Amino acid sequence: KAGVTQTPRYLIKTRGQQVTLSCSPISGHRSVSWYQQTPGQGLQFLFEYFSETQRNKGNFPGRFSGRQFSNSRSEMNVSTLELGDSALYLCASSPDANTEAFFGQGTRLTVV
Amino acid sequence: GQSLEQPSEVTAVEGAIVQINCTYQTSGFYGLSWYQQHDGGAPTFLSYNALDGLEETGRFSSFLSRSDSYGYLLLQELQMKDSASYFCAVNQAGTALIFGKGTTLSVSS
């Protein structure tokens, strides 16, 4: 069974640009969550999607958005990038209730 | 709001026992999870407690007291490979995992 796949693995963008990150969950998993990880801040919850609906959202500005497709694949978008958006963005999938989440290797975003 | 508190660092020697505590404040509490993350790696699931009590999985055990909003992860017979960051996470309303800032465990020989 393939794991959670995130693309790209590494990304360098300039301030003001926008970026789209992709996540393919484990087959059969309908819940996809996104997290931002920075040193000292742990994993901060961005949002969760289930069957194409956003069910929960963390405390991030509106520049951060996401969506989920009918095949459960998910994308997150960050517009008007700031230096502080540099982080590891992790995607996790689970069958439903997030009792056990499976994480991808993440996308390392650097904003210069 | 919601918050989780866990120690930032813990050190121990091989063969020892270590307990990492986690206290939380959150709405819509479903359960408490623990994840391990090695440097450069993805977080991996260790355990989940929905009810009060102790859950044992090999060398690792996890405990939850819902009335005290408190849990802990117990690691026994520590090995060098257990050096990693450990995160507690609250399952909020079944739709989100809210993580603590993590505890860095260093195991020395």
Side-chain angles (χ1 to χ4, degrees), chain A residues 9 31 33 35 37 40-43 45 48 55-56 88 90 96-105, chain B residues 30 33 35 37 40-45 47-48 87 91-102:
Chain A
R9 289 292 311 277
S31 171
S33 301
Y35 297 86
Q37 186 171 30
Q41 291 301 312
L43 289 86
F45 172 72
E48 189 260 3
R55 296 195 299 184
N56 206 331
L88 179 67
L90 290 160
D96 183 5
N98 280 292
T99 53
E100 179 178 353
F102 297 82
F103 283 82
Q105 291 297 311
Chain B
Y30 269 35
S33 300
Y35 285 78
Q37 186 179 31
T44 56
F45 172 82
S47 69
Y48 176 71
F87 296 88
N91 181 321
Q92 184 188 53
T95 62
L97 285 174
I98 308 301
F99 283 80
K101 294 188 177 181

Side-chain angles (χ1 to χ4, degrees), chain A residues 51-92:
Chain A
S51 293
E52 302 179 67
T53 299
Q54 186 183 90
R55 296 195 299 184
N56 206 331
K57 187 178 190 316
N59 190 26
F60 276 80
R63 299 185 297 108
F64 292 82
S65 63
R67 59 177 174 169
Q68 186 180 33
F69 302 95
S70 58
N71 62 358
S72 292
R73 191 177 71 83
S74 178
E75 291 181 344
M76 68 162 281
N77 184 77
V78 188
S79 62
T80 320
L81 283 165
E82 301 177 358
L83 295 179
D85 297 332
S86 295
L88 179 67
Y89 289 88
L90 290 160
C91 163

Side-chain angles (χ1 to χ4, degrees), chain A residues 35 94 97-103, chain B residues 4 6 20-24 26 29-36 43-51 55 61-64 70-73 86-92 94 96-100 102:
Chain A
Y35 297 86
S94 63
N98 280 292
T99 53
E100 179 178 353
F102 297 82
F103 283 82
Chain B
L4 292 93
Q6 54 181 125
I20 300 174
N21 298 320
C22 175
T23 58
Y24 60 87
T26 187
F29 179 84
Y30 269 35
L32 188 72
S33 300
W34 289 91
Y35 285 78
Q36 178 193 61
T44 56
F45 172 82
L46 291 176
S47 69
Y48 176 71
N49 294 66
L51 304 174
E55 294 278 345
S61 303
S62 58
F63 171 83
L64 175 65
Y70 163 76
Y72 66 72
L73 179 69
Y86 293 83
F87 296 88
C88 60
V90 164
N91 181 321
Q92 184 188 53
L97 285 174
I98 308 301
F99 283 80

